[in-house]
Amino acid sequence: MGLIVQKFGGTSVRDRSRIFNVARIVANTRKAGNDVVVVVSAQGDTTDDLIAKAAEISANPSDREMDMLLSTGEQISIALLTMALQELGISAISLTGWQAGFATNRAYTKARIRRINTERLESELARNRVVVVAGFQGLNRNDDITTLGRGGSDTSAVALAAALHADRCQIYTDVEGVYTADPRKLPKATKLKEITFDEMLELASLGAQVLNNRSVELAKKYGVELEVLSSLNPMPGTVVKEETKVEGMLIKGVAKDENVAVISILEVPDVPGMSFKVFSLLAQRNINVDIILQSSGRGNNKDLTFTVPLTEAQTAISVLEENKNRFGGGAISLSTEYAKVSIVGAGMQSHSGVASTMFEALFNQGINIHMISTSEIKISVIIDKTDADRAVAAIHDAFIH
Ligand code: ASP
Ligand code: MG
């Protein structure tokens, strides 16, 4: 018994039968003697549909009005779910983000939560009600509605769990937890019992779209243990926490990311300040550079090769072309036929030979590595896109049994 925050994503409340399914999960949690705060997303594709509606009116709608529009999706879900709970005989009340006390900064469409004034929430809980809160939304200092960015309901749930000192924060989705690889691509991938915040952050940024990244950062910051589980299959999910038992699992997951482009600048003068010039140009445009490779000097020149998200590649190329003369004016090339395959595991910090096992698995498949990068808990390789699925399977076999 205690206070439990339960978050349900859009597919979990998609239609009448899914809403009653969620209501039953909440009702059971309540009947077991817990206080329950529920956070919901907009139903199904509602948010995408609203974005499409805005696009019918304007190619460049104002951010304030986008938030006014998008916040309506969650408001539908809270009302319908609360009605369903009441149908099941559960005392419940819905609250919008602002009624629930979410104060955010001014940044429309990507607002950050400043604090949560939990007074109203706590008084409703004291009246023995289940409180159903709209995710993804808050109010800024002008009393204008803001939203937290796509997938922001996870963040709402974690922030509430932290503010209310909840005993548990459960994130219900349409997958059964976090897997060692994408189970749709690799059926033998297994569900993890536990994963650390840091591992989850790496995997999320590598494209394991289970939890919104910011929600994991927040959970780590406030020490909120998360449980990711399915709203459709009642079985234990994956717990995300600070530290996990090291039961011999060196690698928690193998991830593939096709959102990568490789850019090369040839014949950059081999003098101080060149990397600074190139990467500060990209930083000014908020382009995320990931792996960087610099060749050793040949004569008076060197080559710079680096990766950026595919979605930012054209912007990167145009800013580099415009400013070419500032760093020597060598040829700039872009390749989009690559993928990044990575292994993640806190266990590799205390083990040697992890990289060589990965490279051996690739060698056995005849797969060529173009670039490599490592961090304390991650090793990534850039390889041909056409080799990526085979690489994931081979590496998975080498580490996970
Ligand atoms: N409805 C919002 C979205 O689709 C927020 C969320 O689902 O978490 O991005
Ligand atoms: Mg959604």
Side-chain angles (χ1 to χ4, degrees):
M1 279 194 296
L3 171 61
I4 302 185
V5 173
Q6 297 185 314
K7 183 260 171 180
F8 296 90
T11 45
S12 299
V13 293
R14 171 174 85 189
D15 52 27
R16 177 189 176 279
S17 84
R18 291 282 173 92
I19 286 179
F20 272 103
N21 172 60
V22 167
R24 279 187 294 271
I25 295 173
V26 174
N28 289 339
T29 313
R30 178 79 190 115
K31 285 176 188 158
N34 301 289
D35 285 333
V36 190
V37 173
V38 183
V39 175
V40 276
S41 301
Q43 290 185 282
D45 296 328
T46 302
T47 308
D48 291 324
D49 294 344
L50 290 170
I51 291 171
K53 267 191 198 300
E56 285 173 14
I57 305 291
S58 166
N60 193 15
S62 88
D63 286 343
R64 182 188 184 280
E65 302 313 322
M66 279 311 285
D67 282 358
M68 186 63 91
L69 178 68
L70 296 191
S71 61
T72 62
E74 273 67 16
Q75 207 169 320
I76 295 171
S77 303
I78 55 171
L80 294 177
L81 178 59
T82 304
M83 290 174 196
L85 284 165
Q86 291 169 349
E87 282 295 313
L88 299 184
I90 301 289
S91 171
I93 185 170
S94 64
L95 297 177
T96 61
W98 45 101
Q99 287 176 314
F102 277 80
T104 74
N105 67 4
R106 279 169 209 278
Y108 294 113
T109 75
K110 46 178 179 301
R112 297 226 165 211
I113 300 166
R114 285 193 296 114
R115 63 186 165 78
I116 304 176
N117 178 356
T118 56
E119 230 170 272
R120 172 74 189 271
L121 254 160
E122 274 165 312
S123 79
E124 298 297 349
L125 288 172
R127 299 170 76 176
N128 293 316
R129 288 172 164 165
V130 168
V131 187
V132 182
V133 178
F136 176 59
Q137 52 177 251
L139 211 58
N140 68 17
R141 283 199 176 95
N142 303 337
D143 284 348
D144 282 338
I145 296 171
T146 52
T147 65
L148 307 179
R150 296 306 306 267
S153 299
D154 290 348
T155 310
S156 306
V158 173
L160 265 183
L164 295 168
H165 307 286
D167 298 286
R168 228 184 310 161
C169 183
Q170 297 181 313
I171 309 282
Y172 283 89
T173 76
D174 52 351
V175 297
E176 277 154 31
V178 182
Y179 281 75
T180 53
D182 184 346
R184 289 163 303 183
K185 290 272 169 57
L186 195 72
K188 60 175 143 175
T190 55
K191 188 170 74 190
L192 294 162
K193 279 204 192 76
E194 297 181 334
I195 186 168
T196 69
F197 291 126
D198 290 331
E199 290 168 335
M200 192 64 228
L201 282 168
E202 291 289 5
L203 283 171
S205 68
L206 297 171
Q209 300 214 320
V210 189
L211 282 173
N212 171 284
N213 238 7
R214 206 196 285 174
S215 71
V216 183
E217 283 166 12
L218 207 63
K220 179 177 166 65
K221 181 167 171 194
Y222 291 103
V224 176
E225 240 179 66
L226 303 177
E227 185 183 2
V228 180
L229 64 182
S230 161
S231 60
L232 301 172
N233 277 328
M235 55 167 91
T238 302
V239 174
V240 192
K241 56 206 271 201
E242 185 58 36
E243 268 178 41
T244 61
K245 283 183 239 93
V246 205
E247 50 195 31
M249 208 175 180
L250 216 47
I251 294 306
K252 292 291 177 58
V254 188
K256 173 182 84 166
D257 182 4
E258 293 193 339
N259 182 20
V260 346
V262 176
I263 295 177
S264 293
I265 310 175
L266 302 183
E267 287 166 8
V268 176
D270 194 10
V271 295
M274 285 300 141
S275 298
F276 169 61
K277 281 181 186 157
V278 169
F279 295 114
S280 61
L281 277 171
L282 298 173
Q284 278 160 26
R285 299 291 181 94
N286 286 319
I287 293 167
N288 251 312
V289 175
D290 184 22
I291 305 176
I292 301 175
L293 208 79
Q294 180 185 294
S295 69
S296 52
R298 288 186 317 280
N300 299 321
N301 293 322
K302 60 192 174 189
D303 301 336
L304 270 181
T305 304
F306 53 90
T307 66
V308 298
L310 193 55
T311 41
E312 293 169 16
Q314 281 312 331
T315 320
I317 290 291
S318 38
V319 61
L320 292 171
E321 288 288 354
E322 278 162 32
N323 295 279
K324 218 170 169 173
N325 52 356
R326 290 165 64 181
F327 44 82
I332 299 172
S333 71
L334 168 67
S335 333
T336 56
E337 295 308 305
Y338 296 120
K340 180 167 74 173
V341 171
S342 310
I343 56 176
V344 172
M348 69 173 75
Q349 288 174 94
S350 51
H351 279 79
S352 56
V354 175
S356 77
T357 302
M358 181 185 192
F359 302 154
E360 183 184 17
L362 293 171
F363 167 67
N364 288 338
Q365 294 290 319
I367 294 171
N368 192 25
I369 302 171
H370 302 292
M371 296 168 88
I372 299 170
S373 89
T374 66
S375 79
E376 281 195 324
I377 65 166
K378 178 178 83 167
I379 302 171
S380 302
V381 294
I382 299 290
I383 58 176
D384 289 350
K385 202 179 264 180
T386 48
D387 289 335
D389 288 328
R390 215 154 41 88
V392 170
I395 296 167
H396 194 273
D397 276 346
F399 286 103
I400 294 158
H401 314 284

